[in-house]
C-alpha cells in the first residue's frame, strides 16, 4: 500500500496549551479514516497538521511521500472545513464557476480547454447537482454547498478528501445522501479523512478510526475500535458521546 499521510511523534501546542501530543499514524491510499474525539480534543488541529496548515512543534509529517512543508501540489487535496456550510463564501460565484476553480492548477497560465470543461461537468454530475450549476453558491442549502465543494475537489483530480464535520447544519436526509456519495467516491479509490461528531456515522462508514483526545487512544480498523475501551478512555468525563445509527 502507498502511504498518503505519515505522522511521526507529532506534537503541537497553542502557546502553553498542548493540542496534539506525540501522535504517530499513517493513512494509506484508498483508506477511509474517521477522526473522532470529544470537543476540544485536537481533531481539527491534527487534520491541519496532516495537510500542512500547521507546522508541528515536534515530530515530522509527510504528505504523498514528501515532507509536508515541501509539498506544493494542492490540487491533489480537497479540503472542506467545518465552517463551509454556514459561511458559504462571500464571492458571488455560481456552482459551475466554483467547481471550475478546481481546474485552475492544471490550466497553469493557459486557458481552460474543452477537456477541462468536460471534467468540471462530470464532477458536477457525479455529486448530483447538475440542476444547480447556474445557481449562486450563496443561495444553496448546507448540503448542496458541500456537494459543490466536493465537486470542486473532484474537478482538481484530488486524491485525498479531508472533511471537518462536513454536515453541520445539514438535514438528516441530505446528510445520509452525502455520506452515500462519500462511500461511492471511496469505492472509486479516493482517500478520505473525516472528522465527524456522530460516532455511528464513523463506525458505519470508515474503514479505520483514529480516536484522539490530545493523545492518540486508538488507531486501527473499525471492528477493533468498537471492541476497545478507547472511546470511554478518550471521552472520559468530558461529556456524552453522540452515537446514532443510520
Amino acid at each position: 500500500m502507498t502511504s498518503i499521510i505519515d505522522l511521526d511523534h507529532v506534537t503541537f501546542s497553542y502557546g502553553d496549551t498542548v493540542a496534539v501530543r506525540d501522535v504517530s499514524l499513517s493513512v494509506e491510499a484508498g483508506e477511509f479514516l474517521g477522526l473522532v474525539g470529544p470537543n476540544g480534543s485536537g481533531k481539527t488541529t491534527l487534520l491541519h497538521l496532516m495537510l500542512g496548515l500547521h507546522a508541528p512543534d515536534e515530530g515530522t509529517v509527510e504528505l504523498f511521500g514528501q515532507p509536508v512543508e515541501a509539498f506544493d501540489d494542492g490540487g491533489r487535496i480537497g479540503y472542506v472545513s467545518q465552517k463551509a456550510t454556514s459561511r458559504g463564501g462571500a464571492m458571488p460565484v455560481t456552482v459551475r464557476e466554483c467547481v471550475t476553480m478546481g481546474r485552475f492548477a492544471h490550466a497553469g497560465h493557459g486557458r481552460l480547454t474543452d477537456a477541462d470543461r468536460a471534467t468540471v461537468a462530470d464532477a458536477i454530475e457525479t455529486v448530483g447537482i447538475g440542476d444547480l450549476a447556474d445557481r449562486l453558491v450563496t443561495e444553496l442549502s448546507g448540503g448542496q454547498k458541500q456537494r459543490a465543494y466536493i465537486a470542486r475537489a473532484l474537478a482538481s483530480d484530488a486524491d485525498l478528501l479531508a472533511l471537518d464535520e462536513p454536515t453541520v447544519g445539514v438535514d438528516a436526509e441530505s446528510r445520509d445522501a452525502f455520506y452515500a456519495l462519500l462511500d461511492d467516491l471511496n469505492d472509486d479509490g479516493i482517500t478520505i479523512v473525516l472528522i465527524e461528531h456522530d460516532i455511528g456515522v464513523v463506525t458505519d462508514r470508515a474503514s479505520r478510526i483514529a480516536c484522539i483526545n490530545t493523545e492518540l487512544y486508538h488507531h486501527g480498523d473499525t471492528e477493533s475500535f468498537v471492541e476497545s475501551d478507547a472511546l470511554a478512555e478518550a471521552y472520559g468525563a468530558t461529556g456524552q458521546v453522540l452515537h446514532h445509527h443510520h
Side-chain angles (χ1 to χ4, degrees), residues 15-85:
D16 295 331
T17 304
V18 179
V20 172
R21 179 185 289 115
D22 196 29
V23 170
S24 297
L25 62 81
S26 295
V27 180
E28 306 294 339
E31 191 173 306
F32 191 148
L33 176 70
L35 282 179
V36 301
N39 289 337
S41 61
K43 300 186 298 295
T44 295
T45 300
L46 182 61
L47 186 62
H48 286 177
L49 287 161
M50 290 178 174
L51 302 178
L53 300 176
H54 292 324
D57 298 327
E58 299 175 18
T60 59
V61 180
E62 289 192 351
L63 188 57
F64 293 99
Q66 300 179 43
V68 71
E69 63 272 16
F71 182 78
D72 61 359
D73 190 359
R76 299 187 72 182
I77 302 169
Y79 172 51
V80 181
S81 75
Q82 58 186 278
K83 298 176 181 177
T85 45

Side-chain angles (χ1 to χ4, degrees), residues 94-96 130-136 139:
T94 65
V95 168
R96 184 179 285 106
D131 57 327
L132 303 174
D134 295 317
R135 290 271 300 277
L136 293 175
E139 296 174 352

